[in-house]
């Protein structure tokens, strides 16, 4: 299987970088995701989720703060992708963000994965040699 080269993510805003990886569009949220950041991110997120059958990964590993504005972005992205027979996966490792996802019930609708490799559906690298 041919492997697509990884691109350095180009910043679209100070809170968002987007790149393609194994047929998925990866949206990497960064920093503090509050109402100001959500306003910057929303048009880019809507553009990516407007395509039929899109395969989207939202990566929250570089998020330091996440409030209800971020939750609205995730819920909107999920709804738009599902309406268009697409796929949305979430990567999140930050304990406080995971707690917010769990308390609000969004983690049941959009289960967070621990790694980008898991979200992309590829086997994770193993350590050691055989």
């Amino acid at each position: 299987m041919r492997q697509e080269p990884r691109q350095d993510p180009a910043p679209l805003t100070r809170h968002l970088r987007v790149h393609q990886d194994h047929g998925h569009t990866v949206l990497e949220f960064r920093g503090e995701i509050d109402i100001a950041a959500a306003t910057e991110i929303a048009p880019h997120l809507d553009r990516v989720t407007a395509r039929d059958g899109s395969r989207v990964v939202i990566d929250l590993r570089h998020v330091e703060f996440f409030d209800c504005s971020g939750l609205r972005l995730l819920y909107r992205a999920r709804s738009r992708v599902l309406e268009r027979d697409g796929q949305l996966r979430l990567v999140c490792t930050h304990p406080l963000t995971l707690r917010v996802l769990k308390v609000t019930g969004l983690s049941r609708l959009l289960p967070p994965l621990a790694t980008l490799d898991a979200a992309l559906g590829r086997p994770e690298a193993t350590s050691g040699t055989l």
Side-chain angles (χ1 to χ4, degrees):
M1 180 160 90
R2 190 179 142 244
Q3 197 167 1
E4 297 175 26
R6 287 189 108 157
Q7 305 171 31
D8 286 333
L12 293 175
T13 77
R14 66 184 184 147
H15 299 290
L16 178 66
R17 293 195 173 113
V18 178
H19 60 97
Q20 298 295 316
D21 198 333
H22 289 79
H24 292 78
T25 302
V26 179
L27 292 99
E28 187 180 294
F29 290 19
R30 304 181 73 77
E32 295 185 4
I33 307 303
D34 55 14
I35 193 163
T39 302
E40 289 179 12
I41 292 170
H44 304 287
L45 187 64
D46 284 353
R47 189 169 27 258
V48 168
T49 59
R51 297 187 290 254
D52 288 338
S54 61
R55 295 174 17 172
V56 179
V57 174
I58 297 178
D59 185 350
L60 301 180
R61 292 176 298 158
H62 303 285
V63 168
E64 299 158 6
F65 174 81
F66 195 81
D67 72 6
C68 60
S69 301
L71 291 172
R72 279 192 295 274
L73 286 174
L74 294 181
Y75 188 79
R76 179 173 173 79
R78 180 185 177 275
S79 297
R80 290 172 56 87
V81 167
L82 291 178
E83 286 171 1
R84 292 163 180 83
D85 295 320
Q87 176 186 87
L88 177 63
R89 294 191 178 145
L90 178 66
V91 179
C92 182
T93 56
H94 193 282
L96 292 177
T97 305
L98 288 168
R99 184 171 179 222
V100 168
L101 294 171
K102 184 176 182 179
V103 167
T104 60
L106 192 55
S107 63
R108 287 191 310 271
L109 299 175
L110 191 57
L113 300 165
T115 67
L116 183 57
D117 284 336
L120 296 171
R122 63 181 182 216
E124 297 185 40
T126 57
S127 60
T129 57
L130 296 176

